[in-house]
Amino acid sequence: MNLIEKLKAGAVLLDGAMGTCLEGGGLPAGSPPELYNSLKPEEVEKIHRGYVDAGCDVVCANTFGINPFRYADCEQMIAKAVGIALRAADGKAAVALDVGPTGKLLRPIGDLPFEDAVNCFKRVISAGVSAGAELIFIETINDLYELKAALLAAKESCNLPVFASCAFGADGKLTTGASPEAVVALAEGLGADAVGLNCSLAPSQMTETVKKLYACASVPVIAKPNAGLPQIADGKTVYDVDSQTFCKDMLQLLKAGARCVGGCCGTDASFISGLKKLLKGFTPLPVAQRDKTTVCSYTHALEIGDYPVLIGERINPTGKKRLKQAIQEGDFAYILGEAAEQAEKGVHALDVNVGVAGVDEKKILTEVVAAVQAVTDLPLQIDTSDPAAMDAAMRIYNGKPLVNSVNGKKSSMRAVFPLVKKYGGAAIALTLDENGVPPTAEGRIKIAKRILREAKKYGLKKSDIVFDTLATAVAAEGGSATAALDSLRYIRGRMGANVSLGVSNISFGLPDRDAVTAAFLTMALSHGLSAAIVNPYSDRVMGAYKSFMALSGKDKNCMEYIDFASRDAQPREAPPAAHTGAEGLKRSITRGLKEDAARLSAELCSTLSAQEVIEAHIVPALDEVGAAFESKKIFLPQLLISAEAASAAFDAVKPYIKRVGTGKKLKIVLATVRGDVHDIGKNIVKTMLANYGFAVIDLGKDVPPEKIVRAAAETGAGLVGLSALMTTTVGAMESTVKLIKKQLPHCKCIVGGAVITAEYAAEIGADAYGKDAMQTVRYAESIEKLL
Amino acid sequence: MNILTGNPAKIDRAEAARYAGYRGDGYDVKLFDECEKIILPALSLKACYAVFPVARGDGLDLGFTRTHSRDLEKNLSGCSRVALFVATAGAGVDRLIAGYSAVSPVRALIIGAMGSAAIESWCDEVNAVITRTYGATKPRFSCGYGDFPLETQRDIFRAMLPEKTLGVTLSEGLVMSPVKSVTAIVGIKDEPD
């Protein structure tokens, strides 16, 4: 019986600890256990054999800490470790390649790029497979994104069974915030054969998390706890739970739904023998098929089903001039502002679409998805018709994505279904095909059935598809709303699948659109709509949703409705007369009143040219604040508050600017140098420069010198600004300056950051030292004058 | 190895204001209210510590590292044991800073400053636990202070494995992530005060 069959038949017994057992046998604390594979292979084999003799079904090779970041010869080390485990198992137990975390944190929090993590895991897994491992056991992962990298690597390098086990904390979450439901959604989506938790906690601390995992998992649940918490006694680490207590508490975990059990730090063969006895005659809870449509972000899961959810539609350039412009100009701040604001309005997920003619959609979509995920923890709906862009965005998305969309056309299904299968997503399926949108419900239902049949050929389930029965302009075709609603009711009721609608389209071409859209949303919800793509800024539409939830009893005690209605009722203060016009604009910038600044500058554009508003009002106000900062009358936060208000004013003026490229000639490249991940200072400089009208190309943090030089050359930048905050990275700053001076002798260089001084700047050959953001602005202005 | 978790109730605002660049007593109360409300639920205070013996001879041997740092040696006079700790305010703060950098630089600045204040207060708490457990202690000492090299971070990470227990990692360039994380050595005095 192979392992997967065993898992189907009943509980599976895993092994216990390796590292802490080796420490007990003389390995000095803090020295890596994997070194013993070469130094004392007989010790390692003895520990494995102890577990095999205790009756375990799986032994994990001593490979936890081996990866290419730590060891150049990781392949040989893995081969050796797996060889030892195979010898010890001797056919009596399956040998797992034990895959631990990389030891680095992925971007955006850490400095490890996602693909580097995937490649690191691929090397480890390929080596394990070649060495004869029979199972990939990914364990002790505490970041959902890293779990995704490891599972993807496993899927792309082998066909072996894969177990995914995370180190949940006592708070029931991973250290980067992921819930058990999110872990299950992601791991199952990426094809894990079992999912669970190990390390960090004693068995008694795991019960709640095991229950949560079991409640949503359609694969077996793993529990591999520590023997309690480590304590230091007489200079040695000991764990505070003995094997008897351990087994007693493990029974609770088994009853809560665990099916694969073993021990982590502090356990030994006696614990596994105890578990063996416990499992004799024990029947674990069944592995149930949940058949739920679930997607997740890096923190939480979102179920699409009986509780209708809202998806914000604002990050979609169709019919939105300002967003189109933002996408073309790479103005992420505007896009992220939309993300944050929609989240504030209470939607459950965000649609992200950057389809604008002439942009590299694959590149922009992945960048925007990553950037939006840095601002909000809402799940995203990746919205594109370009399969290459969809592939890339699904890959780097931190979580299990919803994709928008596939349709009944053969070419569409051929392109999208493999991606949904591979990355574990859920797809919105439009009920249209080569012949367009059927005018009747029957036609749409027919396509839905065909889509479902085809999806199953790719190994997808009904729960992986959310049908969209297409809301099209009722003004253009009288029957369009009925067709959408009738097919919605059929698909929900008879086919048992979920349905989503982009409700706003229904009112296209009509006056007072929100009234029609809100009524349609209410109708669709009462027909069983699972998800609605909406404009969350419309109070009427949001009100319709909140009312429906209250009326249908889904909003218990109407709490959410009351919250919504009272938030809306907050009085808005009218500005005093003195705070209007040009004076008011100046005041709003110096005092940092963002909304006033935006409103007043837009108002001024009706009487003045955009250029005049900027040059005669916004910049002078900013200058006044800058001068106050330079003379230490105000401090950095106040300067930034004003800068934000000025940004809002610029943004409001932007649509009135006729010719593109007004403002300054000088282009400026900014970057935090290689090895340094601090970028608050650099971002402040960027904000100020942008406010003064300079075109800023921000390369982010931890940027290698070559990339900075390339960007400066490609954009024709006349100035490069470099930031470093750490003593260890000033070396990188020096080499970057040298490279710039060598390859782009006419490009100026200004450096700054906590550890940089004017003397040091001169010493490494920089043209200037920027003590703070204002000084950098002044320097940039002096260069601009020479152009 | 001992693992501690903390429960952040409030932020030391005076300290945060100082980190943010305010001088004097004033700060924008409304902005601070807002940022404190944002950062508090995102904080996840965790720490681990272990005690090591100090051997003197050719420099200092602390069990997890050897060093010739004179400044540390001075700090550890009268101590034959040290507690080594790693503390973090969690990855949530990094996410907030990254997010707000794009939409509101001033909030990114204030949240960053509040994160610094939070990790400093948390280190004080961790330090207090160590002091309560072992009697009198010396002021805590971190890599990069005086002549105590930053490279020692690698030894600290090897000994404590905070990647596993706290989710704190060290980059090639010796930068810790989450960014609001601290490692420190606390000398345990042989003679209580």
Side-chain angles (χ1 to χ4, degrees):
Chain A
M1 194 155 49
N2 74 23
L3 192 65
I4 295 296
E5 287 162 356
K6 247 184 211 166
L7 262 178
K8 281 195 183 129
V12 160
L13 183 58
L14 308 169
D15 62 357
M18 173 58 73
T20 50
C21 285
L22 287 174
E23 273 177 33
L27 175 79
S31 101
E34 57 271 15
L35 296 182
Y36 263 33
N37 296 328
S38 291
L39 295 174
K40 293 191 177 175
E42 64 287 349
E43 280 293 319
V44 176
E45 193 175 332
K46 200 172 89 190
I47 293 167
H48 283 321
R49 191 164 295 128
Y51 292 131
V52 175
D53 291 344
C56 71
D57 301 305
V58 175
V59 283
C60 288
N62 186 22
T63 50
F64 179 82
I66 308 177
N67 69 45
F69 294 134
R70 296 201 182 97
Y71 304 100
D73 59 341
C74 85
E75 278 85 0
Q76 290 91 314
M77 290 177 71
I78 286 170
K80 185 143 203 172
V82 172
I84 296 170
L86 282 167
R87 249 196 332 271
D90 194 22
K92 290 176 213 138
V95 168
L97 174 75
D98 193 47
V99 181
T102 58
K104 291 164 178 268
L105 215 49
L106 275 83
R107 283 181 185 166
I109 298 173
D111 58 354
L112 183 64
F114 181 72
E115 289 304 331
D116 288 8
V118 175
N119 290 332
C120 165
F121 285 122
K122 272 190 184 169
R123 271 185 69 182
V124 171
I125 291 166
S126 302
V129 174
S130 314
E134 296 151 283
L135 163 74
I136 308 299
F137 198 107
I138 300 164
E139 61 142 313
T140 327
I141 303 289
N142 47 32
D143 176 8
L144 193 74
Y145 209 18
E146 188 166 20
L147 181 65
K148 178 163 182 170
L151 283 166
L152 209 50
K155 213 167 178 181
E156 290 179 345
S157 356
C158 71
N159 293 314
L160 294 179
V162 182
F163 284 17
S165 179
C166 293
F168 282 90
D171 58 357
K173 290 185 177 155
L174 304 191
T175 51
T176 49
S179 68
E181 293 80 8
V183 168
V184 169
L186 180 121
E188 283 188 1
L190 286 163
D193 296 282
V195 61
L197 77 171
N198 71 292
C199 207
S200 301
L201 304 172
S204 60
Q205 295 171 289
M206 285 187 173
T207 320
E208 282 313 306
T209 306
V210 167
K211 276 185 190 158
K212 284 183 183 162
L213 290 167
Y214 179 76
C216 60
S218 301
V219 295
V221 172
I222 306 160
K224 212 171 182 277
N226 285 352
L229 294 174
Q231 314 273 329
I232 304 216
D234 303 328
K236 276 196 168 180
T237 304
V238 292
Y239 285 79
D240 65 357
V241 173
D242 61 29
S243 69
Q244 224 169 355
T245 318
F246 185 87
C247 289
K248 190 177 95 255
D249 293 342
M250 283 305 282
L251 184 61
Q252 298 311 313
L253 294 188
L254 284 160
K255 285 180 177 166
R259 181 172 274 249
C260 308
V261 291
C264 204
C265 304
T267 61
D268 59 29
S270 71
F271 289 67
I272 303 305
S273 297
L275 284 180
K276 181 78 185 175
K277 279 184 209 126
L278 199 64
L279 290 180
K280 209 166 193 179
F282 180 85
T283 311
L285 294 182
V287 179
Q289 288 310 307
R290 307 291 170 189
D291 291 324
K292 303 268 192 212
T293 304
T294 311
V295 293
C296 73
S297 68
Y298 54 86
T299 53
H300 64 277
L302 177 68
E303 191 186 317
I304 297 172
D306 294 336
Y307 185 98
V309 296
L310 296 179
I311 301 167
E313 68 175 18
R314 297 298 301 174
I315 307 179
N316 183 332
T318 315
K320 298 184 195 83
K321 232 171 146 186
R322 180 65 190 90
L323 181 64
K324 206 175 272 177
Q325 188 187 11
I327 292 168
Q328 278 161 342
E329 292 172 1
D331 177 4
F332 278 22
Y334 180 80
I335 301 170
L336 299 182
E338 288 282 336
E341 201 163 330
Q342 290 185 88
E344 180 77 6
K345 293 283 180 191
V347 295
H348 305 95
L350 298 177
D351 186 84
V352 177
N353 181 320
V354 297
V356 174
V359 306
D360 179 350
E361 194 175 343
K362 181 176 162 184
K363 178 172 174 278
I364 302 285
L365 185 63
T366 49
E367 286 174 6
V368 169
V369 163
V372 169
Q373 286 209 289
V375 200
T376 170
D377 63 0
L378 289 182
L380 301 186
Q381 170 167 286
I382 295 166
D383 185 356
T384 174
S385 52
D386 175 353
M390 189 183 279
D391 186 335
M394 287 180 87
R395 191 175 177 90
I396 62 102
Y397 175 73
N398 189 353
K400 179 185 177 190
L402 185 59
V403 292
N404 189 9
S405 57
V406 66
N407 61 51
K409 289 181 194 165
K410 284 209 171 68
S411 57
S412 168
M413 293 192 279
R414 215 164 26 228
V416 175
F417 285 152
L419 298 177
V420 176
K421 180 68 191 160
K422 178 174 182 187
Y423 296 114
I428 304 277
L430 311 181
T431 52
L432 59 83
D433 63 9
E434 285 83 356
N435 301 315
V437 181
T440 62
E442 292 70 38
R444 298 181 193 192
I445 292 164
K446 222 164 136 187
I447 294 176
K449 287 182 174 166
R450 197 166 70 231
I451 290 174
L452 195 55
R453 272 199 307 276
E454 195 63 20
K456 285 183 176 162
K457 289 184 197 160
Y458 289 86
L460 298 175
K461 292 182 294 187
K462 193 161 63 185
S463 54
D464 297 325
I465 307 288
V466 177
F467 289 100
D468 183 330
T469 54
L470 300 165
T472 57
V474 72
E477 203 182 326
S480 78
T482 349
L485 293 174
D486 289 349
S487 43
L488 149 64
R489 194 173 47 211
Y490 182 91
I491 293 171
R492 283 291 282 148
R494 298 286 189 79
M495 290 172 64
N498 287 310
V499 177
S500 150
L501 277 171
V503 292
S504 306
N505 297 336
I506 204 78
S507 59
F508 190 77
L510 289 175
D512 195 11
R513 288 187 59 181
D514 280 3
V516 178
T517 306
F520 179 68
L521 175 62
T522 306
M523 290 170 82
L525 288 167
S526 56
H527 279 71
L529 189 70
S530 327
I533 305 174
V534 300
N535 172 10
Y537 303 160
S538 163
D539 283 346
R540 295 243 307 268
V541 169
M542 292 303 280
Y545 172 79
K546 300 283 179 183
S547 306
F548 174 84
M549 296 304 275
L551 292 167
S552 62
K554 291 181 161 67
D555 173 10
K556 295 260 154 59
N557 302 325
C558 306
M559 290 313 286
E560 284 188 33
Y561 177 79
I562 293 168
D563 193 39
F564 165 78
S566 48
R567 183 170 62 173
D568 200 43
Q570 270 165 20
R572 297 207 175 94
E573 284 170 49
H579 299 158
T580 54
E583 258 317 291
L585 176 58
K586 184 178 157 195
R587 179 182 174 275
S588 66
I589 290 173
T590 53
R591 302 210 173 178
L593 307 169
K594 230 168 158 173
E595 277 128 37
D596 290 358
R599 184 175 46 80
L600 292 168
S601 49
E603 279 172 22
L604 279 178
C605 285
S606 61
T607 51
L608 301 172
S609 74
Q611 200 67 18
E612 279 173 298
V613 176
I614 293 171
E615 281 170 12
H617 301 290
I618 300 176
V619 170
L622 202 53
D623 258 334
E624 191 181 305
V625 180
F629 172 74
E630 284 166 319
S631 60
K632 298 198 167 61
K633 288 197 189 89
I634 63 163
F635 304 108
L636 182 58
Q638 290 137 313
L639 175 68
L640 276 179
I641 293 171
S642 288
E644 279 185 27
S647 290
F650 276 119
D651 236 35
V653 170
K654 242 181 176 175
Y656 298 92
I657 297 176
K658 299 234 164 45
R659 71 199 154 88
V660 188
T662 46
K664 305 275 196 317
K665 284 191 240 66
L666 180 65
K667 286 183 185 161
I668 304 167
V669 166
L670 288 184
T672 300
V673 296
R674 180 164 62 199
D676 208 322
V677 294
H678 298 83
D679 63 354
I680 292 186
K682 181 216 70 198
N683 290 340
I684 291 169
V685 172
K686 173 182 154 190
T687 306
M688 294 308 296
L689 285 171
N691 267 337
Y692 276 85
F694 292 103
V696 180
I697 300 105
D698 179 9
L699 302 178
K701 55 194 179 182
D702 189 15
V703 190
E706 304 74 30
K707 191 174 166 191
I708 297 171
V709 169
R710 204 180 328 123
E714 280 170 6
T715 56
L719 176 63
V720 173
L722 300 174
S723 164
L725 208 89
M726 303 176 49
T727 46
T728 47
T729 50
V730 293
M733 181 171 271
E734 182 173 2
S735 53
T736 308
V737 172
K738 293 237 154 80
L739 197 68
I740 293 168
K741 288 288 146 197
K742 193 172 146 210
Q743 301 200 0
L744 305 168
H746 302 297
C747 185
K748 300 284 180 189
C749 225
I750 183 165
V751 299
V755 290
I756 308 295
T757 59
E759 292 72 34
Y760 181 77
E763 195 185 308
I764 62 172
D767 299 289
Y769 163 63
K771 179 169 69 70
D772 53 44
M774 277 316 291
Q775 224 179 52
T776 309
V777 168
R778 303 290 183 224
Y779 182 71
E781 286 188 313
S782 73
I783 305 286
E784 172 79 21
K785 273 194 194 130
L786 302 176
L787 292 178
Chain B
M1 175 102 70
N2 292 276
I3 295 168
L4 305 172
T5 52
N7 208 348
K10 61 178 175 54
I11 299 287
D12 182 340
R13 292 192 174 201
E15 201 64 3
R18 200 171 60 78
Y19 287 126
Y22 287 98
R23 296 292 172 260
D25 307 325
Y27 59 80
D28 186 330
V29 176
K30 227 174 104 190
L31 183 63
F32 269 55
D33 283 345
E34 186 196 331
C35 290
E36 187 165 341
K37 228 165 98 187
I38 295 168
I39 196 176
L40 279 180
L43 290 172
S44 170
L45 305 179
K46 290 183 187 176
C48 61
Y49 73 88
V51 174
F52 294 87
V54 180
R56 291 179 173 79
D58 179 24
L60 282 175
D61 185 342
L62 300 178
F64 60 92
T65 192
R66 283 164 189 273
T67 174
H68 286 91
S69 162
R70 285 171 178 275
D71 294 318
L72 180 62
E73 199 163 352
K74 215 184 298 151
N75 176 278
L76 293 182
S77 68
C79 303
S80 52
R81 285 180 305 167
V82 293
L84 172 65
F85 77 77
V86 185
T88 183
V93 185
D94 299 54
R95 283 194 197 283
L96 287 177
I97 295 172
Y100 279 97
S101 292
V103 289
S104 171
V106 72
R107 284 168 183 77
L109 174 77
I110 305 291
I111 289 168
M114 287 186 163
S116 300
I119 182 66
E120 281 307 316
S121 313
W122 174 228
C123 285
D124 290 344
E125 276 186 58
V126 173
N127 208 336
V129 169
I130 294 168
T131 309
R132 270 204 305 279
T133 315
Y134 294 96
T137 53
K138 293 275 193 159
R140 61 175 177 267
F141 204 90
S142 289
C143 302
Y145 286 13
D147 64 354
F148 188 44
L150 199 55
E151 283 71 20
T152 312
Q153 286 283 45
R154 293 208 179 91
D155 297 331
I156 294 176
F157 271 67
R158 234 188 317 269
M160 304 294 283
L161 297 175
E163 298 94 336
K164 221 172 151 172
T165 44
L166 313 178
V168 178
T169 63
L170 190 66
S171 79
E172 293 294 320
L174 302 172
V175 186
M176 283 188 282
S177 302
V179 74
K180 304 301 176 193
S181 301
V182 166
T183 65
I185 292 168
V186 181
I188 298 169
K189 292 186 193 171
D190 296 333
E191 306 289 334
D193 297 317

